[in-house]
């Protein structure tokens, strides 16, 4: 009986959980992640206004991984054919899949994360006025959640760009802006609130001098790529100027036959979205299975085709949304029916073999 190949997956987000789950029956899989849980990313903002929703969106790795091992620690380096962790583990691999996405400074346990959502809800409930910093999909969706559940609150959203959700087209931006303004959300474009350790209310001043009073604020700007741990590793030369790993068409690290990258940390020429990380993970799973049979014979590998035309759905509260499809852009109940009610949580749980 052939010995199973050792697959080490670094990072427990969309890509990492998908790879670990789909390979655990075919390989000796180790998932390295400092958190004990996977968090469905599409649902985080709903959890702020409804913390009980997080009971389904925070999934312990031990609940869906049946044979794979979870090392609860941060990866610190890659040396030769080992991953070195902050806890001192040296985890050997035949195949390595790096999926560390963007930086996350939240708690390591599911219980603590649930408490964090409760605290955010308490902060929100006690605020009459709310400031949201950032008008990408996160800021827009949070504004939509608050405007729907707390219509009495005054919401101000400040965005540095000249339009909202800039990764989508202008029609989607205009429809989102119109929806928010119809909900009495004040949207300030082409301005910013400087974010730092000293940011505190209730009085805020934008770069252009606009004064905003808010009882609570939420920072919804982009996070850094989670690749700093690789800068002192054997793979540092493969990081591009944005800190992303250079990959080929098979999602392998350039020049590496047995190492892959998935999600935000991969330098694929496309927008960074969770569902695309899932697609990349599927390509990696197929290729690891093929290469596990005989790495020397160089089988024909699956190719990942980056998304050429951006499309996506941004939820606007519980019932509505704005969607950009290849042939049209729409807003209202239809995109809301697709995403906003459940935020794809049921599908995410099913993909991990759990009840929806």
């Amino acid at each position: 009986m052939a010995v199973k190949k050792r697959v080490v997956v670094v990072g427990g987000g969309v890509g990492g959980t998908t790879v670990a789950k789909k390979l655990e029956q075919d390989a000796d899989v180790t998932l390295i992640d400092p958190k004990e849980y996977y968090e469905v990313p599409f649902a985080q903002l709903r959890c702020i206004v409804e913390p009980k929703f997080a009971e389904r969106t925070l999934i312990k790795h031990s609940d869906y991984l049946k044979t794979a091992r979870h090392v609860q620690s941060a990866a610190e380096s890659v040396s030769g054919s080992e991953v070195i962790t902050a806890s001192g583990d040296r985890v050997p691999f035949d195949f390595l899949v790096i999926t560390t996405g963007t930086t996350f400074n939240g708690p390591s346990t599911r219980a603590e994360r649930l408490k964090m959502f409760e605290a955010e809800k308490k902060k929100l409930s006690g605020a009459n006025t709310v400031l949201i910093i950032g008008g990408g999909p996160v800021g827009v969706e949070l504004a939509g959640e608050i405007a729907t559940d707390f219509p009495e609150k005054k919401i101000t959203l400040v965005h540095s760009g000249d339009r909202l959700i800039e990764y989508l087209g202008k029609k989607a931006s205009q429809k989102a802006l119109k929806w928010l303004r119809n909900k009495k959300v004040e949207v300030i474009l082409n301005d910013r609130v400087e974010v730092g350790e000293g940011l505190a209310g209730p009085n805020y001043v934008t770069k252009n001098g606009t004064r905003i009073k808010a009882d609570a604020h939420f920072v919804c700007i982009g996070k850094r790529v989670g690749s700093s741990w690789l800068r002192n590793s054997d793979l540092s030369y493969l990081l591009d100027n944005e800190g992303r790993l250079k990959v080929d068409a098979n999602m392998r690290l350039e020049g590496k036959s047995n190492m892959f990258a998935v999600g935000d940390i991969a330098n694929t020429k496309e927008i960074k979205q969770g569902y695309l990380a899932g697609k990349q993970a599927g390509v990696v799973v197929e290729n690891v299975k093929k290469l596990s049979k005989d790495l020397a014979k160089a089988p024909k590998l699956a190719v990942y085709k980056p998304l050429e035309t951006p499309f996506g759905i941004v939820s606007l509260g519980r019932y509505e949304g704005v969607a950009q499809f290849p042939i049209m852009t729409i807003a209202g109940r239809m995109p809301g029916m697709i995403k906003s009610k459940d935020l794809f949580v049921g599908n995410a749980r099913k993909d991990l073999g759990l009840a929806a």
Side-chain angles (χ1 to χ4, degrees):
M1 185 175 179
V3 177
K4 290 183 176 181
K5 297 294 184 180
R6 298 165 301 178
V7 178
V8 172
V9 182
V10 184
V14 174
T17 56
T18 301
V19 172
K21 179 62 180 177
K22 290 188 175 181
L23 283 178
E24 68 172 346
Q25 297 301 320
D26 301 281
D28 178 6
V29 175
T30 300
L31 173 68
I32 299 174
D33 187 68
K35 308 186 307 302
E36 70 174 8
Y37 60 92
Y38 162 59
E39 181 170 357
V40 180
F42 323 110
Q44 291 177 3
L45 306 174
R46 177 69 51 80
C47 297
I48 292 175
V49 300
E50 185 188 348
K52 287 186 178 180
F53 195 66
E55 293 286 349
R56 293 173 58 233
T57 71
L58 301 176
I59 304 166
K60 285 188 176 182
H61 295 309
S62 58
D63 286 344
Y64 70 89
L65 293 176
K66 305 306 179 185
T67 61
R69 181 168 70 112
H70 172 218
V71 174
Q72 190 175 339
S73 181
E76 282 200 337
S77 182
V78 177
S79 178
S81 58
E82 291 182 327
V83 176
I84 302 167
T85 73
S87 58
D89 292 287
R90 302 182 75 94
V91 188
F93 61 83
D94 298 303
F95 294 94
L96 173 65
V97 186
I98 299 174
T99 69
T100 44
T102 56
T103 55
F104 175 74
N105 298 317
S108 61
T109 71
R110 182 176 183 273
E112 289 172 328
R113 186 63 167 148
L114 287 169
K115 287 181 181 178
M116 178 178 281
F117 283 128
E118 292 285 357
E120 294 280 84
K121 171 66 179 297
K122 185 177 180 180
K123 178 177 77 171
L124 178 61
S125 297
N128 294 317
T129 52
V130 178
L131 169 63
I132 295 174
I133 303 170
V138 175
V140 169
E141 289 197 349
L142 179 57
E145 293 287 343
I146 298 172
T148 299
D149 279 27
F150 300 94
E152 74 283 0
K153 297 187 185 298
K154 183 183 186 307
I155 305 167
T156 302
L157 185 153
V158 179
H159 182 54
S160 60
D162 60 5
R163 62 185 182 90
L164 302 174
I165 47 177
E166 291 160 303
Y167 81 94
L168 296 178
K170 290 184 178 180
K171 285 185 178 180
S173 300
Q174 292 166 354
K175 290 179 183 293
L177 179 62
K178 181 180 179 180
W179 188 93
L180 290 173
R181 286 179 170 165
N182 284 342
K183 295 292 184 179
K184 309 303 182 186
V185 176
E186 181 181 2
V187 179
I188 301 173
L189 300 173
N190 295 305
D191 204 352
R192 67 173 66 240
V193 175
E194 295 297 337
V195 176
E197 292 184 5
L199 183 66
N203 298 304
Y204 304 83
V205 181
T206 71
K207 186 177 180 181
N208 293 340
T210 300
R211 296 184 179 277
I212 301 168
K213 187 172 183 179
D215 301 321
H217 76 268
F218 295 89
V219 178
C220 301
I221 58 177
K223 299 177 182 179
R224 296 189 304 275
V225 181
S227 61
S228 60
W229 66 281
L230 290 168
R231 296 199 178 278
N232 294 317
S233 79
D234 290 354
L235 303 180
S236 60
Y237 73 99
L238 287 171
L239 294 172
D240 67 11
N241 293 333
E242 295 181 338
R244 304 185 196 277
L245 285 166
K246 300 173 184 176
V247 296
D248 63 18
N250 311 121
M251 299 307 298
R252 291 192 291 190
L253 304 191
E254 287 186 357
K256 301 291 185 181
S257 61
N258 66 331
M259 301 183 190
F260 300 80
V262 167
D264 286 3
I265 201 169
N267 75 331
T268 50
K269 306 304 180 187
E270 61 186 353
I271 57 176
K272 303 301 179 183
Q273 292 176 290
Y275 87 96
L276 293 178
K279 289 181 63 178
Q280 293 170 11
V283 170
V284 170
V285 167
E286 183 177 345
N287 287 338
V288 169
K289 287 181 178 180
K290 288 181 176 180
L291 290 167
S292 295
K293 295 177 181 178
D294 193 344
L295 183 59
K297 286 188 177 180
K300 185 176 181 180
L301 299 179
V303 172
Y304 177 73
K305 296 181 180 179
L307 187 69
E308 293 182 1
T309 304
F311 76 89
I313 305 175
V314 176
S315 66
L316 298 171
R318 295 174 181 269
Y319 313 109
E320 298 181 83
V322 57
Q324 178 175 302
F325 299 117
I327 58 173
M328 63 179 176
T329 299
I330 58 174
R333 291 277 181 166
M334 184 178 293
M337 290 172 63
I338 297 172
K339 179 181 179 182
S340 301
K341 182 178 180 180
D342 188 55
L343 300 171
F344 303 133
V345 174
N347 289 339
R349 293 180 61 87
K350 286 180 182 178
D351 288 344
L352 294 175
L354 302 172

